[in-house]
Amino acid sequence: MRQGTAVAGFALTEPDVGSDAAAIQLRARPCAAGWTLHGHKKWITNAPDADFYVTFRAHDRDARSRGVTTAFLVPADRPGLSGVPIEFIADHPIGALTFDGVPVDRSDVIARSTEGSSRR
Ligand SMILES: Cc1cc2nc3c(=O)[nH]c(=O)nc-3n(C[C@H](O)[C@H](O)[C@H](O)COP(=O)(O)OP(=O)(O)OC[C@H]3O[C@@H](n4cnc5c(N)ncnc54)[C@H](O)[C@@H]3O)c2cc1C
């Protein structure tokens, strides 16, 4: 990104989840290699053209924001990840993403809940 050769997307918002980000529903199901991601994202700047997306899993919906435990960096060409553009007046692409069993492993984890603390 810093070299200007890759475009990122930040995929938090979902079709039914906007301001109340603690309610996200994207799930990471454990599998032998790590997890598979399942869910939908909408209104994502640079989707579906980005080279990779940062997204988040909700581990425990009842725990609200404390249940959003992991951030993943997912390359756009990962199997099971698809996107469509949304027609919108904006100076950048905007679209929706579907995570249909997208495989991720520990090397795709960029942050866990304990790593975003208020330490200075
Ligand atoms: C051009 C554009 C680009 C975007 N890019 C991205 C992106 O790159 N990645 C991404 O993840 N999302 C993106 N979004 C989505 C954006 O972050 C959401 O639209 C935003 O989180 C608000 O969600 P919502 O539209 O569902 O509105 P809602 O959450 O339904 O809110 C509707 C209205 O109610 C108000 N409101 C909500 N809750 C409360 C409350 N508790 N008290 C008082 N008022 C409240 C809000 O301020 C707002 O005015 C983008 C949206 C747009 C328009």
Side-chain angles (χ1 to χ4, degrees):
M1 279 179 63
R2 290 174 64 187
Q3 292 168 351
T5 58
V7 173
F10 181 85
L12 179 66
T13 304
E14 300 182 351
D16 297 318
V17 180
S19 306
D20 185 14
I24 61 168
Q25 298 178 23
L26 188 109
R27 286 288 179 273
R29 294 187 191 145
C31 65
W35 304 268
T36 55
L37 302 180
H38 304 262
H40 301 274
K41 296 290 172 181
K42 197 170 181 184
W43 308 115
I44 307 306
T45 294
N46 293 334
D49 302 335
D51 296 293
F52 57 84
Y53 299 94
V54 173
T55 197
F56 306 84
R57 76 155 172 180
H59 181 66
D60 179 357
R61 281 179 71 185
D62 294 336
R64 304 284 298 152
S65 60
R66 291 182 187 280
V68 181
T69 53
T70 315
F72 297 97
L73 187 69
V74 185
D77 59 359
R78 202 52 74 81
L81 178 55
S82 60
V84 293
I86 297 172
E87 194 173 339
F88 198 81
I89 298 174
D91 59 357
H92 52 73
I94 188 162
L97 299 171
T98 295
F99 292 76
D100 185 9
V102 177
V104 287
D105 62 27
R106 288 191 182 282
S107 67
D108 300 312
V109 173
I110 57 171
R112 292 176 177 276
S113 60
T114 53
E115 295 166 352
S117 72
S118 57
R119 278 184 299 171
R120 294 196 162 83

